[in-house]
């Protein structure tokens, strides 16, 4: 509801953008009435909400095509980009964090790890993306910038063409995951049952695999739900920097054109993905640590 009201309060309106400021008042009024923009705001919202529940997100005001059709041609590219970034995050960030946690003795490696994670978290995506575009435009190194292939056309070529954008998109997530995994590992290592395992003569590798990983995975999983929303939001910037015709760049164009139906549907999809990921993370967390489920049931009772 807030997004719905915020989009319509943006300066400039649809009729001015489409017809221009010199169009006649009657032409503007006809266009506004054609798309129901002359109704009150609550009435527009209720009509949109009822239609959205039926799976009807309306028509793009710019292309006059169904929003579902517009999203259907762009969503696979953005989903592939976000999934690749998430794979990079789990494959690199989690092992790095656990390694830093188990070798955090205040040495040079710990200092370098903290410095790199701080740089990764604070580096803006448009800065890093612009540097990557500049470098790989001059020195291809087997990876090209642009010429992105849709996964519906050729999945393997699509993955190759999205390696650089996914790497840029995943830098913040990798640094956040590594830092969270490191802190979680350190907090688990000081617990009494770890000391008991050491006293029993269990090897360090066995302790990490059977005692540390399970407990340290819970805060990382919780972070994953937040990172999912971040990756979808970060795709807006990365897709524009790398000229990728996905959902992110499409939403930016929709904001420029005051394409209300597209913006509302995009925000709704992003919200649903975040809620779904939070639900899945809650279930997986309960499976990994049954104490979480028991505690939740206790609070509800």
């Amino acid at each position: 509801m807030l997004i719905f009201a915020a989009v319509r309060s943006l300066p400039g309106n649809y009729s001015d953008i489409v017809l221009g400021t010199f169009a006649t008042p009657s032409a503007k009024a006809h266009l506004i009435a054609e798309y129901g923009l002359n109704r009150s705001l609550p009435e527009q919202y209720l009509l949109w909400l009822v239609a959205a529940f039926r799976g009807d997100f309306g028509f793009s005001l710019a292309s006059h095509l169904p929003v579902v059709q517009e999203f259907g041609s762009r969503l696979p590219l953005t989903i592939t980009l976000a999934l690749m970034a998430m794979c990079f995050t789990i494959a690199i960030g989690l092992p790095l964090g656990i390694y830093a946690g188990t070798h955090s003795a205040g040495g040079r490696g710990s200092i370098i790890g903290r410095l790199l994670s701080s740089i990764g978290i604070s580096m803006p995506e448009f800065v890093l993306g612009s540097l990557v575009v500049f470098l790989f435009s001059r020195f291809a190194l087997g990876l090209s910038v642009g010429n992105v292939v849709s996964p519906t056309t050729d999945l393997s070529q699509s993955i190759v063409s999205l390696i650089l954008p996914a790497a840029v998109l995943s830098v913040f997530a990798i640094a956040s995951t590594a830092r969270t995994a490191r802190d979680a590992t350190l907090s688990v290592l000081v617990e009494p049952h770890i000391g008991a395992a050491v006293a029993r003569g269990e090897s360090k590798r066995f302790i990490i695999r059977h005692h540390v990983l399970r407990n340290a995975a819970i805060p990382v999983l919780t972070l994953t739900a937040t990172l999912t929303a971040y990756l979808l939001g970060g795709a807006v910037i990365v897709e524009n920097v790398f000229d990728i015709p996905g959902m992110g760049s499409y939403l930016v164009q929709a904001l420029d054109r005051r394409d209300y139906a597209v913006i509302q549907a995009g925000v709704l999809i992003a919200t649903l993905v975040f809620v779904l990921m939070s639900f899945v993370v809650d279930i997986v967390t309960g499976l990994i640590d049954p104490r979480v489920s028991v505690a939740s049931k206790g609070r509800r009772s």
Side-chain angles (χ1 to χ4, degrees), residues 1 34 67 70 72 86-87 94 113 123 146 152 172 179 249 275 291:
M1 186 184 298
E34 182 181 355
V67 173
E70 294 275 21
M86 184 58 76
C87 289
L94 189 58
M123 177 72 77
T152 56
F172 173 84
R179 178 170 287 188
S249 55
V275 171
R291 292 174 299 176

Side-chain angles (χ1 to χ4, degrees), residues 25-55:
S26 60
K28 291 183 179 180
H30 177 74
L31 186 67
I32 289 174
E34 182 181 355
Y35 288 97
L37 301 176
N38 55 344
R39 299 171 185 264
S40 66
L41 198 61
E43 192 176 2
Q44 290 183 46
Y45 177 71
L46 287 176
L47 289 173
W48 174 80
L49 195 62
V50 171
F53 271 115
R54 296 199 305 261

Side-chain angles (χ1 to χ4, degrees), residues 63-84:
S63 66
H64 307 291
L65 293 173
V67 173
V68 174
Q69 180 180 333
E70 294 275 21
F71 280 11
S73 62
R74 293 171 172 82
L75 203 53
L77 204 50
T78 300
I79 290 176
T80 305
L81 177 64
L83 285 177
M84 288 178 65

Side-chain angles (χ1 to χ4, degrees), residues 279-297:
F279 180 68
V280 171
V281 166
D282 283 344
I283 293 176
V284 175
T285 303
L287 293 175
I288 292 176
D289 188 354
R291 292 174 299 176
V292 176
S293 300
V294 172
S296 300
K297 290 178 182 176

Side-chain angles (χ1 to χ4, degrees), residues 167-255:
V168 171
L169 183 59
S170 64
V171 167
F172 173 84
I174 289 173
S176 301
T177 302
R179 178 170 287 188
T180 302
R182 173 185 173 278
D183 294 343
T185 302
L186 287 174
S187 65
V188 173
L189 287 176
V190 297
E191 289 186 0
H193 70 278
I194 299 296
V198 174
R200 288 195 298 270
E202 295 178 0
S203 67
K204 186 176 181 180
R205 180 173 298 180
F206 183 86
I207 291 173
I208 293 173
R209 192 166 57 243
H210 290 269
H211 299 294
V212 175
L213 283 180
R214 173 175 291 186
N215 293 290
I218 294 174
V220 176
L221 275 174
T222 306
L223 178 67
T224 302
T226 306
L227 287 178
T228 302
Y230 164 77
L231 292 176
L232 288 173
V236 173
I237 299 171
V238 172
E239 287 184 3
N240 276 278
V241 171
F242 285 89
D243 194 23
I244 299 173
M247 284 288 298
S249 55
Y250 185 50
L251 285 175
V252 172
Q253 293 172 8
L255 277 170

Side-chain angles (χ1 to χ4, degrees), residues 263-284:
I263 299 169
Q264 290 155 192
V267 172
L268 180 64
I269 290 174
T271 305
L272 290 177
V273 170
F274 178 70
V275 171
L276 179 63
M277 281 301 299
S278 299
F279 180 68
V280 171
V281 166
D282 283 344
I283 293 176
V284 175

Side-chain angles (χ1 to χ4, degrees), residues 126-157:
F126 69 91
V127 174
L128 184 60
S130 300
L131 287 174
V132 169
V133 169
F134 172 73
L135 290 174
F136 281 84
S137 297
R138 295 177 63 88
F139 313 102
L141 302 177
L143 295 172
S144 61
V145 176
N147 301 320
V148 174
V149 180
S150 172
T152 56
T153 305
D154 188 331
L155 181 59
S156 59
Q157 286 297 318

